[in-house]
Amino acid sequence: MTRYIFISFFVLVGILLFSLATLQKIQPEPPYFLRFDERAFNHQTQLNLEVQSSVEPTPGQLTTLEKDLKAIWAHLNYIYESNYLKPGKDRFTERFYQSLAEAYPGQLSGSVKRQDLSHHVIIKNWSRDGLACQLIDSAAVFQYHLPAGDSIQTEASIAMALYFQGDNWRLDALKIINEKPFNP
């Protein structure tokens, strides 16, 4: 008699677990190479590349770097405006993304919008394996759109470190050396 009670108990637990497993809808996030990055696709900026490294990148590597730098700036501008990190997580290294996430106060709305107009990028160091580079953005021009309707243009010098991970370049470090407004 107790054997039948134990068997019926295990059958009921099995049926319960099976029904819970079939009720759960799993919608996996598509892999990186199948996602379309609309923000990066619609981002327009002027980017001039100059190589001052002892190791010269190939033209194909420079094209990939230019495309990925534009995408990185598109996501940095979006984070600046909305303070929402998740859409740009594939454009940053895990360490950089973790440091952003630690300082994350939550999503904002109605804040200042930033648009990068042009960049003069000087590649200072290109690794022999083509997986790391350090660069200086010596003349980055930004336009800030304030909530009141005004806009301000600034010029900045920015140091950046990038790593090639997966299929694209990812930002690992960024330091704004100086940023000054243009004279009105």
Side-chain angles (χ1 to χ4, degrees), residues 32 43 68 121:
Y32 173 75
H43 184 69
D68 289 340
V121 176

Side-chain angles (χ1 to χ4, degrees), residues 67-140:
K67 178 182 71 80
D68 289 340
L69 267 174
K70 288 179 180 180
I72 287 169
W73 278 111
H75 286 286
L76 285 173
N77 290 340
Y78 180 72
I79 290 171
Y80 192 89
E81 175 186 347
S82 68
N83 207 29
Y84 186 52
L85 303 176
K86 190 171 180 183
K89 71 179 177 180
D90 295 324
R91 298 295 175 178
F92 311 120
T93 61
E94 186 175 337
R95 184 176 69 98
F96 190 78
Y97 187 77
Q98 183 67 31
S99 66
L100 286 175
E102 286 173 0
Y104 182 66
Q107 195 167 349
L108 303 173
S109 61
S111 58
V112 176
K113 293 181 182 181
R114 181 178 72 186
Q115 179 182 8
D116 57 314
L117 303 176
S118 65
H119 301 274
H120 181 75
V121 176
I122 302 168
I123 299 172
K124 291 294 196 176
N125 188 14
W126 188 270
S127 67
R128 293 194 185 283
D129 60 2
L131 298 177
C133 77
Q134 289 80 37
L135 50 92
I136 301 285
D137 194 344
S138 63

Side-chain angles (χ1 to χ4, degrees), residues 3 7 11 18 21 30 37 47 50 92 107 112 121 171 182:
R3 183 177 3 157
I7 291 173
V11 168
F18 179 75
D37 191 354
L47 191 79
E50 179 183 334
F92 311 120
Q107 195 167 349
V112 176
V121 176
L171 180 64
F182 282 123

